[in-house]
């Protein structure tokens, strides 16, 4: 594997995956996009159009765009950009994409399935039931292939085959054992050549927790209330609810050895500064889709039990969103 022209497969070429795939293809990488429906049909017919934040646009032509993973030859890199709850169903089909050195980049929100693999300490090897209850994901990906990734850009599909980049260009990477391996350096270099920021962190779990710290509160509160980030932070009662949930999450993270480099109030203010933004969980609820509630909130509640940290606020909000999700899906079915 060299970074001259890497074979990169984006599994789930939606808003984030399409943004990644388009820029990588425009930079000359051999990109395969796994997509479906009218979005896939538009890509196959016209290429993938990327509208940039300044209003300009570019059209990327992937090496292959398909809904059938079995059509794809082995890859150097597989980037999973589907939602966390979709990974278990996909995992068994991914093996045809692997060769001896294939990396699998896990670009999901929430606690990753590999969190306690190569972690060290008393919880080493513990499976997070909320994310990978039957061990299917680990069995078909394997910790040795996994590369951690924290996604920061905001993008949206404005019509089939057309993705709009709203803000952000950082994809933080990390080996789960904390090493700065040759393979992750090659991956980071490819992302940088495509115009992304791709810092490599030797403590990728800390980076995951910093994003999760806000998501565990703001995503489910927004799903329940229909409110934007700005509104949640400016309304005193929901701001305090978010604060209590974040305090519970912080206690768990610190018990697991995580050190936050910013204060809780700074994290809340950062969310408020995003403005009138609907979280992905609220968008999923409004569309009648399954949410990432288990990976983002349920997994934190599970880690609370594991570390014997009480999580009353997280537990209550988790139960409420789970019922709301079930009700909305039944209503739309």
């Amino acid at each position: 594997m060299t970074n001259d022209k890497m074979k990169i497969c984006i599994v789930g070429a939606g808003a984030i995956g399409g943004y990644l795939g388009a820029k990588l293809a425009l930079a000359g990488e051999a990109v395969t996009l796994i997509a479906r429906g009218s979005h896939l049909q538009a890509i196959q017919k016209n290429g993938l159009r990327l509208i940039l934040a300044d209003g300009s646009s570019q059209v990327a032509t992937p090496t292959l765009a398909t809904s059938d993973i079995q059509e794809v030859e082995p890859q150097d890199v597989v980037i999973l950009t589907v939602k966390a709850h979709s990974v278990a169903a996909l995992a068994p089909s991914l093996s045809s994409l692997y060769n001896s050195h294939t990396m699998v980049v896990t670009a999901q929100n929430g606690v990753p399935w590999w969190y306690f693999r190569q972690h060290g300490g008393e919880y080493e090897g513990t499976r997070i039931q909320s994310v990978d209850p039957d061990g299917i994901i680990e069995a078909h990906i394997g910790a040795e292939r996994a590369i951690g990734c924290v996604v920061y850009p905001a993008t949206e599909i404005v019509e089939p085959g057309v993705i709009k980049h709203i803000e952000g260009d950082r994809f933080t990477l990390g080996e789960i054992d904390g090493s700065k391996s040759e393979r992750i350096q090659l991956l980071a270099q490819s992302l940088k050549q495509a115009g992304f920021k791709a810092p490599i962190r030797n403590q990728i779990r800390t980076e995951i927790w910093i994003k999760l710290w806000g998501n565990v509160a703001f995503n489910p509160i927004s799903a329940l209330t229909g409110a934007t980030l700005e509104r949640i932070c400016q309304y005193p009662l929901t701001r305090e609810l978010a604060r209590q949930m974040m305090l519970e999450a912080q206690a768990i993270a610190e018990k697991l050895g995580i050190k936050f480099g910013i204060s809780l109030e700074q994290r809340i203010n950062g969310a408020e500064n995003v403005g009138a933004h609907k979280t992905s969980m609220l968008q999923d609820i409004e569309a009648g889709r399954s949410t990432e509630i288990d990976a983002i909130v349920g997994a934190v509640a599970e880690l609370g039990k594991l570390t014997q940290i009480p999580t009353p606020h997280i537990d209550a909000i988790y139960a409420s969103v789970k019922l709301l999700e079930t009700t909305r899906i039944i209503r739309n079915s």
Side-chain angles (χ1 to χ4, degrees):
M1 179 175 58
T2 70
N3 63 344
D4 293 337
K5 193 168 187 179
M6 296 180 78
K7 293 180 182 178
I8 302 173
C9 182
I10 310 288
V11 180
I16 288 294
Y19 172 55
L20 259 173
K23 293 200 72 172
L24 285 164
L26 288 165
E29 304 292 3
V31 174
T32 295
L33 302 179
I34 306 296
R36 60 187 180 183
S38 59
H39 185 54
L40 171 61
Q41 292 168 7
I43 296 170
Q44 290 172 329
K45 183 178 179 181
N46 304 312
L48 182 58
R49 186 155 68 95
L50 177 63
I51 301 174
L52 304 175
D54 63 5
S56 64
S57 68
Q58 296 174 289
V59 176
T61 303
T63 300
L64 175 66
T66 181
S67 61
D68 186 0
I69 289 176
Q70 302 306 313
E71 290 184 8
V72 184
E73 64 182 21
Q75 301 287 297
D76 297 314
V77 186
V78 175
I79 305 179
L80 300 180
T81 48
V82 296
K83 296 286 183 73
H85 53 268
S86 301
V87 177
L90 273 172
S93 66
L94 298 177
S95 59
S96 63
L97 300 177
Y98 303 157
N99 55 35
S100 62
H101 60 256
T102 303
M103 294 176 267
V104 179
V105 181
T106 60
Q108 284 66 52
N109 286 322
V111 181
W113 59 269
W114 49 258
Y115 191 91
F116 289 119
R117 298 301 181 266
Q118 301 177 37
H119 176 269
E122 61 182 303
Y123 305 114
E124 173 65 41
T126 300
R127 181 190 302 156
I128 299 174
Q129 300 292 326
S130 303
V131 181
D132 191 17
D134 302 313
I136 290 173
I137 300 174
E138 181 168 13
H140 290 92
I141 294 179
E144 72 282 355
R145 294 193 185 278
I147 300 284
C149 178
V150 183
V151 176
Y152 289 98
T155 58
E156 62 181 354
I157 299 176
V158 293
E159 64 182 82
V162 181
I163 290 171
K164 182 179 180 181
H165 175 233
I166 299 168
E167 64 172 0
D169 58 4
R170 179 158 56 103
F171 292 85
T172 302
L173 304 172
E175 289 278 9
I176 68 174
D177 65 358
S179 65
K180 196 170 182 180
S181 64
E182 181 181 359
R183 69 176 188 173
I184 202 169
Q185 291 181 65
L186 288 170
L187 174 60
Q189 186 171 340
S190 289
L191 289 172
K192 289 172 184 175
Q193 287 173 345
F196 299 114
K197 294 175 184 172
I200 300 170
R201 299 284 186 255
N202 61 5
Q203 297 290 340
I204 190 63
R205 292 170 182 81
T206 298
E207 192 93 8
I208 287 168
W209 269 106
I210 290 171
K211 185 177 182 183
L212 178 59
W213 198 17
N215 284 356
V216 73
F218 297 120
N219 280 35
I221 293 172
S222 71
L224 292 169
T225 63
T228 64
L229 286 175
E230 182 179 60
R231 181 65 175 146
I232 292 167
C233 295
Q234 291 177 352
Y235 187 65
L237 293 178
T238 48
R239 186 184 182 98
E240 179 58 22
L241 174 58
R243 182 176 170 276
Q244 291 299 325
M245 294 176 73
M246 291 171 73
L247 282 171
E248 292 171 4
Q250 182 177 357
I252 295 165
E254 289 177 346
K255 185 73 176 289
L256 293 173
I258 302 298
K259 293 181 174 61
F260 291 95
I262 60 173
S263 71
L264 190 149
E265 285 301 315
Q266 285 175 313
R267 185 66 180 85
I268 293 176
N269 290 338
E272 183 178 356
N273 291 337
V274 173
H277 171 69
K278 288 186 177 183
T279 69
S280 59
M281 194 173 290
L282 172 56
Q283 293 177 48
D284 286 340
I285 286 291
E286 290 180 339
R289 297 188 295 258
S290 296
T291 73
E292 293 181 292
I293 188 68
D294 289 315
I296 292 175
V297 186
V300 176
E302 181 181 336
L303 293 178
K305 293 181 176 65
L306 183 68
T307 56
Q308 300 183 330
I309 303 288
T311 55
H313 295 86
I314 289 174
D315 293 347
I317 295 299
Y318 174 63
S320 300
V321 175
K322 287 290 283 186
L323 178 58
L324 176 63
E325 180 182 68
T326 302
T327 304
R328 284 294 183 97
I329 290 173
I330 290 172
R331 186 184 303 161
N332 289 310
S333 63

